PDB file of all heavy atoms in Angstrom:
ATOM      1  N   GLN A 579     -29.100  41.056 -43.786  1.00 97.00           N
ATOM      2  CA  GLN A 579     -28.243  41.129 -44.966  1.00 97.00           C
ATOM      3  C   GLN A 579     -28.213  39.756 -45.619  1.00 97.00           C
ATOM      4  O   GLN A 579     -27.941  38.753 -44.960  1.00 97.00           O
ATOM      5  CB  GLN A 579     -26.832  41.554 -44.545  1.00 97.00           C
ATOM      6  CG  GLN A 579     -25.827  41.712 -45.665  1.00 97.00           C
ATOM      7  CD  GLN A 579     -24.472  42.182 -45.156  1.00 97.00           C
ATOM      8  OE1 GLN A 579     -24.280  42.352 -43.954  1.00 97.00           O
ATOM      9  NE2 GLN A 579     -23.534  42.382 -46.050  1.00 97.00           N
ATOM     10  N   ARG A 580     -28.535  39.727 -46.900  1.00 97.00           N
ATOM     11  CA  ARG A 580     -28.574  38.456 -47.624  1.00 97.00           C
ATOM     12  C   ARG A 580     -27.962  38.638 -49.015  1.00 97.00           C
ATOM     13  O   ARG A 580     -28.435  39.461 -49.803  1.00 97.00           O
ATOM     14  CB  ARG A 580     -30.025  37.949 -47.793  1.00 97.00           C
ATOM     15  CG  ARG A 580     -30.787  37.696 -46.498  1.00 97.00           C
ATOM     16  CD  ARG A 580     -30.304  36.456 -45.792  1.00 97.00           C
ATOM     17  NE  ARG A 580     -31.097  36.144 -44.616  1.00 97.00           N
ATOM     18  CZ  ARG A 580     -30.858  36.612 -43.399  1.00 97.00           C
ATOM     19  NH1 ARG A 580     -29.824  37.420 -43.214  1.00 97.00           N
ATOM     20  NH2 ARG A 580     -31.627  36.287 -42.382  1.00 97.00           N
ATOM     21  N   GLN A 581     -26.902  37.899 -49.277  1.00 96.00           N
ATOM     22  CA  GLN A 581     -26.279  37.847 -50.607  1.00 96.00           C
ATOM     23  C   GLN A 581     -25.999  39.243 -51.174  1.00 96.00           C
ATOM     24  O   GLN A 581     -26.280  39.534 -52.341  1.00 96.00           O
ATOM     25  CB  GLN A 581     -27.162  37.055 -51.580  1.00 96.00           C
ATOM     26  CG  GLN A 581     -27.395  35.616 -51.136  1.00 96.00           C
ATOM     27  CD  GLN A 581     -28.212  34.829 -52.148  1.00 96.00           C
ATOM     28  OE1 GLN A 581     -27.946  34.878 -53.353  1.00 96.00           O
ATOM     29  NE2 GLN A 581     -29.207  34.097 -51.662  1.00 96.00           N
ATOM     30  N   GLY A 582     -25.462  40.100 -50.335  1.00 94.00           N
ATOM     31  CA  GLY A 582     -25.082  41.439 -50.782  1.00 94.00           C
ATOM     32  C   GLY A 582     -26.206  42.452 -50.760  1.00 94.00           C
ATOM     33  O   GLY A 582     -25.978  43.624 -51.074  1.00 94.00           O
ATOM     34  N   MET A 583     -27.431  42.034 -50.418  1.00 98.00           N
ATOM     35  CA  MET A 583     -28.563  42.959 -50.293  1.00 98.00           C
ATOM     36  C   MET A 583     -28.908  43.155 -48.825  1.00 98.00           C
ATOM     37  O   MET A 583     -28.663  42.283 -47.992  1.00 98.00           O
ATOM     38  CB  MET A 583     -29.781  42.434 -51.045  1.00 98.00           C
ATOM     39  CG  MET A 583     -29.611  42.369 -52.546  1.00 98.00           C
ATOM     40  SD  MET A 583     -31.171  41.926 -53.360  1.00 98.00           S
ATOM     41  CE  MET A 583     -30.629  41.835 -55.061  1.00 98.00           C
ATOM     42  N   VAL A 584     -29.492  44.297 -48.523  1.00 98.00           N
ATOM     43  CA  VAL A 584     -29.865  44.640 -47.154  1.00 98.00           C
ATOM     44  C   VAL A 584     -31.340  44.991 -47.112  1.00 98.00           C
ATOM     45  O   VAL A 584     -31.842  45.723 -47.977  1.00 98.00           O
ATOM     46  CB  VAL A 584     -29.030  45.833 -46.642  1.00 98.00           C
ATOM     47  CG1 VAL A 584     -29.519  46.296 -45.268  1.00 98.00           C
ATOM     48  CG2 VAL A 584     -27.557  45.468 -46.584  1.00 98.00           C
ATOM     49  N   LEU A 608     -34.687  48.667 -49.000  1.00 98.00           N
ATOM     50  CA  LEU A 608     -34.022  47.554 -49.668  1.00 98.00           C
ATOM     51  C   LEU A 608     -32.829  48.102 -50.442  1.00 98.00           C
ATOM     52  O   LEU A 608     -33.005  48.852 -51.406  1.00 98.00           O
ATOM     53  CB  LEU A 608     -34.983  46.844 -50.619  1.00 98.00           C
ATOM     54  CG  LEU A 608     -35.589  45.527 -50.145  1.00 98.00           C
ATOM     55  CD1 LEU A 608     -36.726  45.105 -51.079  1.00 98.00           C
ATOM     56  CD2 LEU A 608     -34.523  44.429 -50.088  1.00 98.00           C
ATOM     57  N   TYR A 743     -34.722  43.716 -61.529  1.00 98.00           N
ATOM     58  CA  TYR A 743     -35.056  43.431 -60.137  1.00 98.00           C
ATOM     59  C   TYR A 743     -36.576  43.371 -60.011  1.00 98.00           C
ATOM     60  O   TYR A 743     -37.268  44.335 -60.353  1.00 98.00           O
ATOM     61  CB  TYR A 743     -34.535  44.526 -59.214  1.00 98.00           C
ATOM     62  CG  TYR A 743     -33.033  44.731 -59.232  1.00 98.00           C
ATOM     63  CD1 TYR A 743     -32.442  45.570 -60.179  1.00 98.00           C
ATOM     64  CD2 TYR A 743     -32.206  44.118 -58.292  1.00 98.00           C
ATOM     65  CE1 TYR A 743     -31.073  45.784 -60.194  1.00 98.00           C
ATOM     66  CE2 TYR A 743     -30.825  44.323 -58.295  1.00 98.00           C
ATOM     67  CZ  TYR A 743     -30.268  45.158 -59.255  1.00 98.00           C
ATOM     68  OH  TYR A 743     -28.915  45.372 -59.269  1.00 98.00           O
ATOM     69  N   THR A 744     -37.055  42.256 -59.505  1.00 98.00           N
ATOM     70  CA  THR A 744     -38.475  42.131 -59.186  1.00 98.00           C
ATOM     71  C   THR A 744     -38.581  41.922 -57.682  1.00 98.00           C
ATOM     72  O   THR A 744     -38.070  40.940 -57.140  1.00 98.00           O
ATOM     73  CB  THR A 744     -39.111  40.956 -59.920  1.00 98.00           C
ATOM     74  OG1 THR A 744     -38.875  41.089 -61.337  1.00 98.00           O
ATOM     75  CG2 THR A 744     -40.605  40.910 -59.661  1.00 98.00           C
ATOM     76  N   ALA A 759     -39.821  39.986 -47.425  1.00 97.00           N
ATOM     77  CA  ALA A 759     -39.659  40.373 -48.824  1.00 97.00           C
ATOM     78  C   ALA A 759     -38.907  39.280 -49.567  1.00 97.00           C
ATOM     79  O   ALA A 759     -38.211  38.445 -48.962  1.00 97.00           O
ATOM     80  CB  ALA A 759     -38.899  41.700 -48.931  1.00 97.00           C
ATOM     81  N   MET A 760     -39.065  39.312 -50.895  1.00 97.00           N
ATOM     82  CA  MET A 760     -38.311  38.415 -51.768  1.00 97.00           C
ATOM     83  C   MET A 760     -37.902  39.210 -53.003  1.00 97.00           C
ATOM     84  O   MET A 760     -38.685  39.995 -53.534  1.00 97.00           O
ATOM     85  CB  MET A 760     -39.148  37.200 -52.168  1.00 97.00           C
ATOM     86  CG  MET A 760     -38.390  36.200 -53.037  1.00 97.00           C
ATOM     87  SD  MET A 760     -39.330  34.666 -53.319  1.00 97.00           S
ATOM     88  CE  MET A 760     -40.690  35.286 -54.320  1.00 97.00           C
ATOM     89  N   VAL A 761     -36.667  39.029 -53.427  1.00 98.00           N
ATOM     90  CA  VAL A 761     -36.144  39.749 -54.582  1.00 98.00           C
ATOM     91  C   VAL A 761     -35.673  38.739 -55.612  1.00 98.00           C
ATOM     92  O   VAL A 761     -34.955  37.782 -55.287  1.00 98.00           O
ATOM     93  CB  VAL A 761     -34.964  40.668 -54.183  1.00 98.00           C
ATOM     94  CG1 VAL A 761     -34.412  41.389 -55.412  1.00 98.00           C
ATOM     95  CG2 VAL A 761     -35.403  41.675 -53.127  1.00 98.00           C
ATOM     96  N   LEU A 762     -36.103  38.950 -56.852  1.00 97.00           N
ATOM     97  CA  LEU A 762     -35.589  38.176 -57.989  1.00 97.00           C
ATOM     98  C   LEU A 762     -34.607  39.060 -58.735  1.00 97.00           C
ATOM     99  O   LEU A 762     -34.999  40.046 -59.376  1.00 97.00           O
ATOM    100  CB  LEU A 762     -36.716  37.732 -58.901  1.00 97.00           C
ATOM    101  CG  LEU A 762     -37.743  36.757 -58.316  1.00 97.00           C
ATOM    102  CD1 LEU A 762     -38.811  36.438 -59.344  1.00 97.00           C
ATOM    103  CD2 LEU A 762     -37.063  35.482 -57.839  1.00 97.00           C
ATOM    104  N   LEU A 763     -33.321  38.753 -58.605  1.00 97.00           N
ATOM    105  CA  LEU A 763     -32.273  39.455 -59.346  1.00 97.00           C
ATOM    106  C   LEU A 763     -31.991  38.625 -60.587  1.00 97.00           C
ATOM    107  O   LEU A 763     -31.333  37.584 -60.514  1.00 97.00           O
ATOM    108  CB  LEU A 763     -31.027  39.607 -58.483  1.00 97.00           C
ATOM    109  CG  LEU A 763     -29.772  40.144 -59.179  1.00 97.00           C
ATOM    110  CD1 LEU A 763     -30.022  41.491 -59.840  1.00 97.00           C
ATOM    111  CD2 LEU A 763     -28.617  40.231 -58.188  1.00 97.00           C
ATOM    112  N   LYS A 766     -31.986  34.914 -60.021  1.00 95.00           N
ATOM    113  CA  LYS A 766     -31.560  34.508 -58.674  1.00 95.00           C
ATOM    114  C   LYS A 766     -32.541  35.046 -57.643  1.00 95.00           C
ATOM    115  O   LYS A 766     -32.972  36.192 -57.700  1.00 95.00           O
ATOM    116  CB  LYS A 766     -30.154  35.048 -58.400  1.00 95.00           C
ATOM    117  CG  LYS A 766     -29.594  34.595 -57.053  1.00 95.00           C
ATOM    118  CD  LYS A 766     -28.117  34.963 -56.883  1.00 95.00           C
ATOM    119  CE  LYS A 766     -27.922  36.443 -56.725  1.00 95.00           C
ATOM    120  NZ  LYS A 766     -26.516  36.788 -56.371  1.00 95.00           N
ATOM    121  N   LYS A 767     -32.886  34.198 -56.672  1.00 96.00           N
ATOM    122  CA  LYS A 767     -33.867  34.557 -55.660  1.00 96.00           C
ATOM    123  C   LYS A 767     -33.175  34.849 -54.324  1.00 96.00           C
ATOM    124  O   LYS A 767     -32.366  34.051 -53.851  1.00 96.00           O
ATOM    125  CB  LYS A 767     -34.883  33.429 -55.487  1.00 96.00           C
ATOM    126  CG  LYS A 767     -35.972  33.739 -54.460  1.00 96.00           C
ATOM    127  CD  LYS A 767     -37.151  32.781 -54.575  1.00 96.00           C
ATOM    128  CE  LYS A 767     -36.746  31.352 -54.232  1.00 96.00           C
ATOM    129  NZ  LYS A 767     -37.928  30.453 -54.219  1.00 96.00           N
ATOM    130  N   ILE A 768     -33.502  35.993 -53.732  1.00 97.00           N
ATOM    131  CA  ILE A 768     -32.999  36.371 -52.404  1.00 97.00           C
ATOM    132  C   ILE A 768     -34.203  36.561 -51.502  1.00 97.00           C
ATOM    133  O   ILE A 768     -35.127  37.309 -51.823  1.00 97.00           O
ATOM    134  CB  ILE A 768     -32.162  37.664 -52.458  1.00 97.00           C
ATOM    135  CG1 ILE A 768     -30.931  37.465 -53.354  1.00 97.00           C
ATOM    136  CG2 ILE A 768     -31.723  38.072 -51.061  1.00 97.00           C
ATOM    137  CD1 ILE A 768     -31.107  38.010 -54.739  1.00 97.00           C
ATOM    138  N   VAL A 769     -34.198  35.853 -50.366  1.00 97.00           N
ATOM    139  CA  VAL A 769     -35.346  35.832 -49.463  1.00 97.00           C
ATOM    140  C   VAL A 769     -34.980  36.485 -48.138  1.00 97.00           C
ATOM    141  O   VAL A 769     -33.917  36.208 -47.570  1.00 97.00           O
ATOM    142  CB  VAL A 769     -35.823  34.381 -49.233  1.00 97.00           C
ATOM    143  CG1 VAL A 769     -36.944  34.340 -48.199  1.00 97.00           C
ATOM    144  CG2 VAL A 769     -36.284  33.766 -50.544  1.00 97.00           C
ATOM    145  N   PHE A 770     -35.878  37.325 -47.630  1.00 97.00           N
ATOM    146  CA  PHE A 770     -35.743  37.938 -46.307  1.00 97.00           C
ATOM    147  C   PHE A 770     -36.870  37.398 -45.433  1.00 97.00           C
ATOM    148  O   PHE A 770     -38.014  37.830 -45.531  1.00 97.00           O
ATOM    149  CB  PHE A 770     -35.813  39.466 -46.416  1.00 97.00           C
ATOM    150  CG  PHE A 770     -34.718  40.044 -47.277  1.00 97.00           C
ATOM    151  CD1 PHE A 770     -34.935  40.303 -48.629  1.00 97.00           C
ATOM    152  CD2 PHE A 770     -33.474  40.310 -46.739  1.00 97.00           C
ATOM    153  CE1 PHE A 770     -33.934  40.821 -49.421  1.00 97.00           C
ATOM    154  CE2 PHE A 770     -32.453  40.838 -47.531  1.00 97.00           C
ATOM    155  CZ  PHE A 770     -32.689  41.091 -48.877  1.00 97.00           C
ATOM    156  N   GLU A 771     -36.530  36.419 -44.602  1.00 96.00           N
ATOM    157  CA  GLU A 771     -37.536  35.648 -43.881  1.00 96.00           C
ATOM    158  C   GLU A 771     -37.910  36.287 -42.553  1.00 96.00           C
ATOM    159  O   GLU A 771     -37.099  36.949 -41.896  1.00 96.00           O
ATOM    160  CB  GLU A 771     -37.024  34.224 -43.645  1.00 96.00           C
ATOM    161  CG  GLU A 771     -35.812  34.118 -42.717  1.00 96.00           C
ATOM    162  CD  GLU A 771     -34.495  34.459 -43.379  1.00 96.00           C
ATOM    163  OE1 GLU A 771     -34.518  34.823 -44.582  1.00 96.00           O
ATOM    164  OE2 GLU A 771     -33.449  34.385 -42.692  1.00 96.00           O
TER     165      GLU A 771
END
Side-chain angles (χ1 to χ4, degrees):
Q579 182 178 2
R580 300 287 185 271
Q581 300 183 46
M583 294 187 183
V584 174
L608 258 169
Y743 300 86
T744 305
M760 182 173 67
V761 179
L762 296 179
L763 172 56
K766 184 171 70 172
K767 181 165 65 175
I768 298 99
V769 175
F770 299 95
E771 66 281 2

